Amino acid sequence: MSSRNPAMGFIFATLLIDVTGLGIIIPVFPTLIQELTGGSLSEASEYGGWLLFSFAIMQFLFAPVLGNLSDQYGRRPVLLLSLFGFALDYLLLAFAPTIVWLFIGRIIAGIMGASITTATAYIADISTPEKRAQNFGMVGAAFGLGFIIGPVIGGLLGEYGSRIPFLAAAGLTFVNFLYGYFILPESLAKSDRRKFDIRRANPFGSLKMLRAYPIISGMVISLLLIYIASHAVQSTWSFFTMEQFSWSEAQVGYSLGFVGLLVAIVQGGLIRVINPKLGTKNSVLVGMVLYVIGLAFFAFASSGWMMYAALIPYCLGGISGPAIQGILSGQVPANEQGELQGALTSLVSLTSIIGPVMMTTIFATFTAKDAPIYFPGAAFLTASVLAVFSLLFAMRTLNKNRLSL
């Protein structure tokens, strides 16, 4: 490559725009679904869950395919294809005449949505060994910044119409596509490419490797439960706050911007101080206890300010994630680290298929007109219970195996 710095700048911009684009549409998605279906917020939440499901299952199936295609044809064409797919998705969402078109857009985005996977591979290609960790840190920085900027922009634009944020997201993504088309160089040399092999593009195969390490199976179950629980926040936050507190799109955007700020503070700074002092095992357990508390507070919040207060223990619970990753990576040899991370990514994808439908269905059931009990916070309470079981599995595994932590 002729220049690494412009390429790193583009990759950072790609990730930032991806996450910002996603954040832009979150605050207005409930309103758009209501407009297209003519239903209540409760009914809209069920559609929202299935829309997330359609995106997640397509990404689970096709991300390994696109990743393997990038090993044969290079990162640049796959990355540009992915960006074009996202721009098309946002345009379909902006002009969708019926709910069916929302599903078509989400399916297209799921099939072509390998920009993050390909961008990560691009970073590995252009980074020297001593700079690799620093460059990968840009991924987390882009996510944190994107989830601060995106929801706030989406909430503000949503005041002018439910479709305006989708047009903004499409414009941002298309500009990024054009920049990449004219400026971005290829990162993968032809001598380092390999033929596409469909057997290696199987998303289910990567999950099998977890069974080879019984000592970490308990921690994997713990992760599975906490990832599903997290979808109570990711999938129902907008619906819940609109239903419970009559928040506008702008208020939802501000709250999600606050989430992004807290996550950036915890993941970018506090973890470096807290985790070494607590130790790995205690970081896992304390973090999960904080998740339980935060989710329970969400469930019973009766005023908007309580959601902001509950976000503090919930986001502090993020200290457990890196600690669990450290435990899992410590159980496998160096030459299997990549395979482990791939398996964990597949695990996250699976929970993204299960979690949204589960949590939005619970929300819809307990907010419907004929609900046996009106309880908008039911999904958060369910998530809190799942977090308790996640904590119990983690305690059992750590104590049973007496891991050196």
Side-chain angles (χ1 to χ4, degrees):
M1 292 186 58
S2 59
S3 176
R4 295 173 185 265
N5 289 336
M8 284 303 303
F10 174 82
I11 294 301
F12 178 82
T14 297
L15 294 170
L16 178 61
I17 290 173
D18 270 2
V19 180
T20 300
L22 175 62
I24 283 175
I25 69 174
I26 290 175
V28 294
F29 224 61
T31 303
L32 180 59
I33 295 172
Q34 280 185 284
E35 290 176 0
L36 292 176
T37 62
S40 66
L41 193 64
S42 177
E43 293 166 336
S45 69
E46 290 192 270
Y47 282 105
W50 286 109
L51 284 166
L52 290 170
F53 170 87
S54 62
F55 173 83
I57 195 166
M58 289 298 104
Q59 192 165 58
F60 175 71
L61 294 173
F62 285 92
V65 175
L66 290 178
N68 277 266
L69 286 173
S70 77
D71 283 339
Q72 177 173 348
Y73 298 106
R75 316 298 185 204
R76 184 176 181 273
V78 174
L79 187 57
L80 292 176
L81 179 68
S82 180
L83 289 172
F84 184 80
F86 269 119
L88 180 61
D89 167 48
Y90 291 139
L91 283 176
L92 282 174
L93 298 181
F95 294 104
T98 65
I99 191 69
V100 172
W101 284 97
L102 293 190
F103 280 96
I104 293 173
R106 291 281 79 190
I107 289 170
I108 291 173
I111 292 173
M112 303 175 75
S115 57
I116 293 175
T117 302
T118 310
T120 305
Y122 195 109
I123 291 173
D125 293 338
I126 66 174
S127 300
T128 58
E130 61 272 14
K131 288 285 188 179
R132 188 162 292 158
Q134 178 182 331
N135 288 343
F136 275 126
M138 293 177 65
V139 177
F143 268 79
L145 188 57
F147 264 104
I148 294 172
I149 298 171
V152 175
I153 294 176
L156 291 172
L157 292 177
E159 298 289 303
Y160 299 96
S162 61
R163 299 177 185 255
I164 301 300
F166 295 94
L167 292 173
L172 277 174
T173 307
F174 190 65
V175 167
N176 203 21
F177 167 81
L178 291 176
Y179 176 64
Y181 182 82
F182 289 107
I183 296 177
L184 184 70
E186 177 56 61
S187 65
L188 187 64
K190 291 185 178 181
S191 59
D192 294 329
R193 300 181 188 185
R194 64 175 177 83
K195 290 288 185 181
F196 177 83
D197 184 352
I198 191 64
R199 293 172 298 180
R200 298 179 68 170
N202 175 11
F204 299 97
S206 61
L207 290 172
K208 293 181 181 179
M209 70 88 61
L210 296 174
R211 298 170 57 187
Y213 300 94
I215 195 171
I216 64 173
S217 61
M219 294 308 300
V220 170
I221 294 173
S222 182
L223 272 178
L224 180 69
L225 291 172
I226 205 69
Y227 284 153
I228 293 175
S230 70
H231 280 284
V233 177
Q234 297 174 26
S235 303
T236 71
W237 182 272
S238 298
F239 296 101
F240 173 81
T241 52
M242 288 180 174
E243 175 75 19
Q244 182 79 332
F245 312 119
S246 299
W247 279 6
S248 66
E249 289 88 347
Q251 288 174 302
V252 172
Y254 297 146
S255 68
L256 292 173
F258 185 66
V259 173
L261 178 62
L262 288 179
V263 169
I265 291 172
V266 173
Q267 299 294 329
L270 290 182
I271 280 180
R272 301 174 186 272
V273 178
I274 296 175
N275 286 30
K277 290 186 176 181
L278 290 179
T280 305
K281 176 180 177 181
N282 288 335
S283 293
V284 171
L285 302 181
V286 170
M288 289 189 171
V289 169
L290 289 169
Y291 274 138
V292 172
I293 294 171
L295 289 165
F297 280 1
F298 290 148
F300 295 102
S302 58
S303 182
W305 68 265
M306 294 181 181
M307 299 299 286
Y308 281 91
L311 280 171
I312 296 174
Y314 178 77
C315 291
L316 280 172
I319 64 174
S320 63
I324 293 175
Q325 286 272 2
I327 292 171
L328 296 178
S329 64
Q331 305 308 306
V332 300
N335 63 354
E336 295 182 14
Q337 291 293 332
E339 188 176 7
L340 172 65
Q341 296 306 317
L344 293 177
T345 300
S346 295
L347 188 71
V348 172
S349 298
L350 274 180
T351 61
S352 296
I353 295 170
I354 299 167
V357 173
M358 175 182 174
M359 294 304 173
T360 54
T361 300
I362 292 172
F363 173 82
T365 300
F366 285 92
T367 56
K369 292 180 180 179
D370 58 347
I373 301 174
Y374 179 76
F375 183 32
F380 291 123
L381 185 59
T382 302
S384 185
V385 172
L386 289 175
V388 169
F389 281 104
S390 178
L391 172 63
L392 294 176
F393 271 108
M395 290 177 63
R396 179 177 178 272
T397 301
L398 295 176
N399 292 331
K400 178 181 178 181
N401 295 293
R402 295 186 178 87
L403 299 176
S404 178
L405 305 172

